[in-house]
Amino acid sequence: MYKTLMAYACIALFSLSIPAYADEVARVTLENGATVKLNDDFTWEYVILESQANADTAAPATVAAVAVSENATSAVTPTAPIANTEALTSSAIAQSALLKSTAKSGVKVSFLNSQWDDDDRLGLTFELSSNSSEHYVMIELEVSLFADSGALIKRETVKVWQAVFRMPDTYLRKGQTRESRVLWIEDIDKAQWTKQLMSLKMKEMDSRM
């Protein structure tokens, strides 16, 4: 699958008809039925969402399957509540394990485990590995959580890695694999999240020389 994606990406990226500001350059349907969006920054994303109200006509949303990320002392940044009108496609649910990791710029972030505290908060832990020459001090990760039915429950952006100012030993460096601290997310119904459906997407990344 990787070779197929790279071949399509190379063809699309060298097409002069695509404007420089465009994020998406092509969409490809794989042999397993999954749809992939190719971007002009050499990343690709699974098309995993559809409108819950009208899945046949809604424009699908995407979640990055390739992106960079970093482990850190994390802080959760709550985002505005999202109307529950999006849901995972049946193909995405069938291949949900693929959505639990993402990468960008040589950094990969993967879901490691979950836990619940006494206040019924959901705690998420991630593993970060870097093959980048950059030294990352902060990495944001967008986490989308879905009910067992596939309906979107909540989407939050968290700092999955946060280094300590002027302490190089806390930077995420090339060749390192680190574990994030527990990231706590509130207002998730434990009974609706038994399948642990989620998708990850890399957001802002800060690095130092």
Side-chain angles (χ1 to χ4, degrees):
M1 180 182 74
Y2 179 80
K3 291 182 178 179
T4 301
L5 288 171
M6 290 303 99
Y8 275 99
C10 289
I11 294 172
L13 289 170
F14 283 100
S15 173
L16 297 178
S17 63
I18 301 299
Y21 56 81
D23 292 326
E24 178 180 343
V25 294
R27 290 200 180 197
V28 179
T29 300
L30 306 180
E31 293 180 357
N32 61 8
T35 300
V36 169
K37 179 172 80 78
L38 304 177
N39 301 320
D40 60 359
D41 61 355
F42 294 94
T43 65
W44 55 274
E45 308 174 24
Y46 286 108
V47 178
I48 65 166
L49 298 181
E50 60 187 1
S51 169
Q52 200 172 33
N54 190 347
D56 293 330
T57 60
T62 59
V63 170
V66 173
V68 172
S69 130
E70 169 180 311
N71 188 347
T73 335
S74 35
V76 175
T77 304
T79 56
I82 297 176
N84 193 12
T85 58
E86 297 177 336
L88 289 172
T89 64
S90 57
S91 176
I93 293 176
Q95 304 175 68
S96 59
L98 298 176
L99 307 179
K100 293 181 179 180
S101 65
T102 183
K104 180 182 176 182
S105 304
V107 177
K108 180 180 180 181
V109 178
S110 301
F111 170 65
L112 197 57
N113 55 56
S114 66
Q115 59 183 285
W116 299 89
D117 68 4
D118 294 338
D119 296 322
D120 286 335
R121 294 187 305 165
L122 173 61
L124 302 176
T125 306
F126 299 90
E127 181 182 83
L128 302 103
S129 59
S130 176
N131 192 35
S132 171
S133 58
E134 299 287 336
H135 302 156
Y136 286 98
V137 296
M138 192 281 293
I139 295 178
E140 287 185 343
L141 182 69
E142 182 182 273
V143 182
S144 298
L145 301 174
F146 301 88
D148 293 347
S149 64
L152 179 64
I153 302 175
K154 196 170 191 180
R155 181 174 290 142
E156 287 197 1
T157 297
V158 300
K159 288 184 178 179
V160 72
W161 186 260
Q162 179 67 66
V164 179
F165 183 62
R166 291 186 177 179
M167 292 187 63
D169 288 346
T170 65
Y171 299 174
L172 179 64
R173 301 173 181 271
K174 184 175 182 178
Q176 291 183 332
T177 297
R178 296 195 179 188
E179 183 176 320
S180 75
R181 66 177 297 179
V182 180
L183 302 167
W184 295 102
I185 299 179
E186 299 180 348
D187 303 323
I188 303 297
D189 186 347
K190 184 187 301 187
Q192 294 185 26
W193 203 70
T194 64
K195 295 181 180 179
Q196 298 189 338
L197 297 176
M198 70 170 67
S199 66
L200 309 176
K201 183 174 183 177
M202 302 299 297
K203 302 292 284 186
E204 183 179 349
M205 300 173 68
D206 290 339
S207 62
R208 298 288 185 271
M209 297 298 294

